[in-house]
Amino acid sequence: MNNYFVILAAGNSKRFSKNKNKQFFNYKNKEIIDHSIIKSLESKLFKKIIVVTNNLSYLKKKKYPKIISIIKGGKERADSSLIALKYLKKFKPKNILIHDAARPDFSIKLLKNLIKLLKKNKAVIPFTSPRDSIKYKINDHFFNLDRKKAFLTQTPQAFRYKILYELYRKQKSNITDEATLFIANNQKIRFITGDIGNNKITYIDDVKLIKTFYGIGFDIHRLVKDKKLYLGGIKIPFHSGLEGHSDGDVILHAVIDAILGASRKKDIGTYFPNSKKFKNIKSPKMLKPILDNLKKSDYSINNLDINLICEQPKVSKYRNKIINSISRLTNLDKNSINLKGKTVEKLGLIGKEKAIACEVIISINKYD
């Protein structure tokens, strides 16, 4: 195993942020640069990993394993690559992979494939095909480019060290990747299919992630004779209904509390106290403003898991109707709603058919 991995992380990220270099921005619970470092370590494919940066003091504080060397980079990307190549010369490497830290989503599978194909090739470059129509401009004229013939190259890019080093020594102009260097010198390249998700992070919007929050809701009401029973927003034929300041719909009340819990907005009593204003209010009317506020805050419901706890009525008989009602009220796909019926083995008020309870777990998403 005579493979070496170079991570280029010396850019100043002008297009990303004025306040922070993107390689040190938090992405999927790690700094962007650490994704590349961790994957290269976990792959166990490399004798040494070189991180090229202009923030030596910060990275050295992290106390990486000895296999990792941190060196100072240059002004341009090509300068940093050459610095790394010169540094590695003393180790007499056979193969070298050069990677941009701004691509944290490459796979270890891709690393293995690149190294495997280097056995019979001087250079192996991953690419994806463009999805958009492409135009290019020469002077004042525009031309259509056949996207079937266009390659969007990625990193890591793999090379025989000696060939890459010699080409860099002779290179005078600035280049944006090592594949450009090989093409400019009429060197043969093996292009392979890259990772679809291995996109380069350039702008702050590229790291907008979905954040998921969870909430738990619970409600219980006594059953009383000669009152209508509402569950999940629909009337259920039964000899008793649920006692409460409102219509007593334990399912929708638990859904509301779960939403408020996930969005950190206190509880149902905060918004609907036992006052004259809300006497006998229908639960769908209580749910609507809670959902409106959720939407205004850029949250969306991912799924609902509902436990209806009662001896009677049997949940299985009304499951589909209740799910369809909740789907309509929340504008949530019914396949994202689960309703389970639970009994309590005749124990307590619920077991004596004197009460019905409901608990709900919800997950909601928000783009950060």
Side-chain angles (χ1 to χ4, degrees), residues 56-67:
L56 291 170
S57 58
Y58 178 75
L59 286 179
K60 285 184 176 179
K61 287 178 184 177
K62 291 196 171 195
K63 297 181 180 179
Y64 292 119
K66 291 182 179 180
I67 189 176

Side-chain angles (χ1 to χ4, degrees), residues 104-315:
D105 291 319
F106 68 97
S107 66
I108 292 176
K109 182 180 177 181
L110 178 61
L111 293 178
K112 290 178 178 178
N113 200 21
L114 289 167
I115 290 172
K116 179 183 176 181
L117 291 171
L118 263 184
K119 292 177 181 178
K120 295 184 179 180
N121 297 277
K122 299 175 183 178
V124 186
I125 310 295
F127 79 96
T128 57
S129 299
R131 300 174 183 178
D132 302 316
S133 295
I134 305 173
K135 320 297 178 190
Y136 67 99
K137 182 181 178 183
I138 299 177
N139 296 324
D140 292 327
H141 298 283
F142 287 88
F143 300 88
N144 293 314
L145 184 67
D146 184 355
R147 63 183 176 188
K148 292 179 181 178
K149 297 179 181 179
F151 285 29
L152 303 178
T153 56
Q154 301 179 333
T155 67
Q157 298 182 356
F159 307 92
R160 297 287 179 85
Y161 171 83
K162 287 183 179 179
I163 298 171
L164 181 63
Y165 181 62
E166 288 303 317
L167 290 176
Y168 252 118
R169 284 183 60 216
K170 299 173 184 176
Q171 181 64 23
K172 302 297 182 185
S173 59
N174 189 36
I175 57 170
T176 56
D177 72 349
E178 286 64 39
T180 303
L181 187 59
F182 265 64
I183 291 170
N185 286 275
N186 296 315
Q187 294 285 333
K188 190 174 180 180
I189 292 174
R190 171 75 183 270
F191 285 98
I192 65 168
T193 302
D195 292 331
I196 293 295
N198 184 20
N199 299 311
K200 185 179 180 183
I201 294 173
T202 303
Y203 302 101
I204 191 72
D205 284 349
D206 295 335
V207 293
K208 281 191 173 181
L209 300 175
I210 296 175
K211 283 190 174 180
T212 302
F213 301 89
Y214 301 91
I216 298 174
F218 178 81
D219 196 30
I220 184 169
H221 285 282
R222 287 180 178 272
L223 282 164
V224 294
K225 295 285 186 181
D226 302 320
K227 187 176 181 182
K228 294 176 183 178
L229 176 62
Y230 290 94
L231 293 173
I234 63 170
K235 183 181 174 183
I236 302 294
F238 199 55
H239 56 69
S240 301
L242 291 167
E243 186 178 35
H245 194 72
S246 64
D247 62 9
D249 190 331
V250 290
I251 293 180
L252 292 190
H253 292 181
V255 168
I256 290 169
D257 248 1
I259 292 171
L260 294 172
S263 54
R264 288 91 66 217
K265 298 292 184 181
K266 300 181 181 178
D267 56 38
I268 191 171
T270 302
Y271 299 88
F272 303 100
N274 290 341
S275 64
K276 187 176 180 180
K277 178 181 178 181
F278 299 113
K279 182 68 175 174
N280 296 322
I281 186 174
K282 299 294 185 185
S283 294
K285 288 186 177 180
M286 299 168 68
L287 178 62
K288 188 179 184 306
I290 302 300
L291 290 171
D292 289 344
N293 287 336
L294 192 73
K295 187 177 180 181
K296 287 177 184 176
S297 300
D298 294 324
Y299 289 100
S300 61
I301 299 175
N302 183 43
N303 78 302
L304 285 166
D305 188 23
I306 304 166
N307 280 338
L308 187 62
I309 308 164
C310 60
E311 298 293 332
Q312 294 290 341
K314 292 299 181 184
V315 172

Side-chain angles (χ1 to χ4, degrees), residues 2 4 47 88-95 161-162:
N2 196 9
Y4 292 77
K47 274 191 173 181
L88 284 172
K89 189 176 180 182
K90 60 188 174 186
F91 298 103
K92 298 180 180 179
K94 180 180 180 182
N95 300 323
Y161 171 83
K162 287 183 179 179

